[in-house]
Amino acid sequence: MVVYAAAFISACSTVERNSNTPEGAFAIAEEFEKSDRYEEAIRRYNDVKNKFPYSNYATKAEMAVADVYFKQESFAEAQVAYQSFRDLHPKHPQIDYVTYRIAQSYSMQLPSTIDRDLTLASDAITTYTELIQKFPNSQYIEEAKTKRAESLKMLAQKEEYIADFYFKHKNYDSALKRYEGLFGNFTNSGLEAKALSRAVICAKRVGDDEKVKKYSAVLFKNYNDSPEAAAARKEIR
């Protein structure tokens, strides 16, 4: 019992001593993180930042806080933490990783269905694009391209959903604008033929002959044998 007490006192004194150095305080925070005690880990990392602001461990602790938020799936908090890190340390050697994590944090906050607010999809696309353009040799490039394509697909499907709603309710002016946007803003979405066909049909029904001619020319040139082209021909014949 005496041996156990002595060991406990020794361990406590070691932790206490180490907590007074940036290395020791950071190591203690890491132990809490490894034990999945995330809230305590975040508190300890913040202590490192506050107690040792001029140590390189302060910068490491800033990154660690963002990583812990991401690990515990607090993606809104992670997004803010990574953005703060990027603003404070724009030349950091891992800034490509930080940019990637910001984009991921946006992606992970997206709803599972397209009939809800997809504003963050645009933010994700912008950040993935920034990573791809600024850091072409980053190890995160391929995944960033895949995730950006997924976000673009969601926005395209949302635009299709809204356009179809207007079309179904015979609001052809509004539907036309949405189908035009679907075709013009979302290349390689797989929805080009439908967007062109519906644009032709809507233009015909609102009496815009110039747009009928414009979109039917593109549709028949690129998707001449498609069912969408057949539907447009039936409308304008």
Side-chain angles (χ1 to χ4, degrees):
M1 195 71 175
V2 175
V3 174
Y4 175 82
F8 178 78
I9 293 170
S10 176
C12 289
S13 64
T14 300
V15 169
E16 183 65 32
R17 184 172 64 252
N18 285 345
S19 67
N20 291 320
T21 67
E23 299 91 340
F26 188 87
I28 292 167
E30 281 187 311
E31 287 303 312
F32 282 111
E33 180 183 349
K34 291 174 183 176
S35 300
D36 297 336
R37 296 179 62 182
Y38 296 134
E39 295 302 325
E40 184 64 19
I42 289 170
R43 189 182 75 79
R44 295 283 185 152
Y45 283 128
N46 282 324
D47 282 346
V48 175
K49 290 163 49 182
N50 296 330
K51 291 180 179 178
F52 311 102
Y54 304 111
S55 165
N56 66 322
Y57 283 93
T59 303
K60 291 177 66 175
E62 288 178 60
M63 177 87 80
V65 167
D67 285 339
V68 172
Y69 277 132
F70 193 91
K71 188 181 293 186
Q72 70 174 4
E73 300 184 0
S74 298
F75 298 116
E77 290 81 0
Q79 168 205 321
V80 171
Y82 285 122
Q83 286 175 319
S84 176
F85 186 96
R86 185 174 63 174
D87 291 343
L88 291 171
H89 311 286
K91 302 298 184 181
H92 192 276
Q94 289 182 282
I95 204 65
D96 64 322
Y97 165 78
V98 173
T99 303
Y100 177 58
R101 281 300 204 198
I102 293 170
Q104 275 192 307
S105 298
Y106 283 129
S107 292
M108 297 303 292
Q109 295 177 71
L110 290 174
S112 58
T113 57
I114 62 169
D115 57 339
R116 296 173 62 190
D117 183 11
L118 295 182
T119 301
L120 291 180
S122 297
D123 295 324
I125 291 165
T126 298
T127 312
Y128 283 127
T129 301
E130 179 184 351
L131 173 67
I132 292 164
Q133 292 178 347
K134 288 187 176 181
F135 309 101
N137 298 318
S138 172
Q139 63 178 302
Y140 308 105
I141 286 294
E142 293 307 314
E143 192 167 354
K145 290 179 179 178
T146 298
K147 293 295 185 182
R148 181 179 66 173
E150 291 174 359
S151 296
L152 281 165
K153 184 177 180 180
M154 286 190 74
L155 288 181
Q157 290 173 335
K158 177 65 173 282
E159 194 74 1
E160 178 192 25
Y161 174 83
I162 296 171
D164 287 350
F165 174 85
Y166 286 131
F167 187 85
K168 179 180 178 181
H169 290 82
K170 299 182 180 180
N171 187 342
Y172 297 118
D173 279 310
S174 296
L176 174 58
K177 292 175 183 177
R178 291 291 182 168
Y179 286 123
E180 287 179 302
L182 179 59
F183 176 72
N185 299 326
F186 300 98
T187 56
N188 302 316
S189 67
L191 299 170
E192 292 87 348
K194 177 180 178 177
L196 286 165
S197 177
R198 289 289 178 86
V200 170
I201 294 169
C202 290
K204 178 66 176 179
R205 294 181 184 180
V206 300
D208 193 330
D209 293 336
E210 183 178 340
K211 287 187 176 179
V212 169
K213 182 178 180 180
K214 174 184 176 182
Y215 292 120
S216 61
V218 180
L219 176 65
F220 299 147
K221 178 182 178 181
N222 296 319
Y223 309 97
N224 191 49
D225 298 325
S226 67
E228 291 83 4
R233 282 195 185 91
K234 182 178 179 181
E235 181 73 23
I236 64 177
R237 67 183 177 188

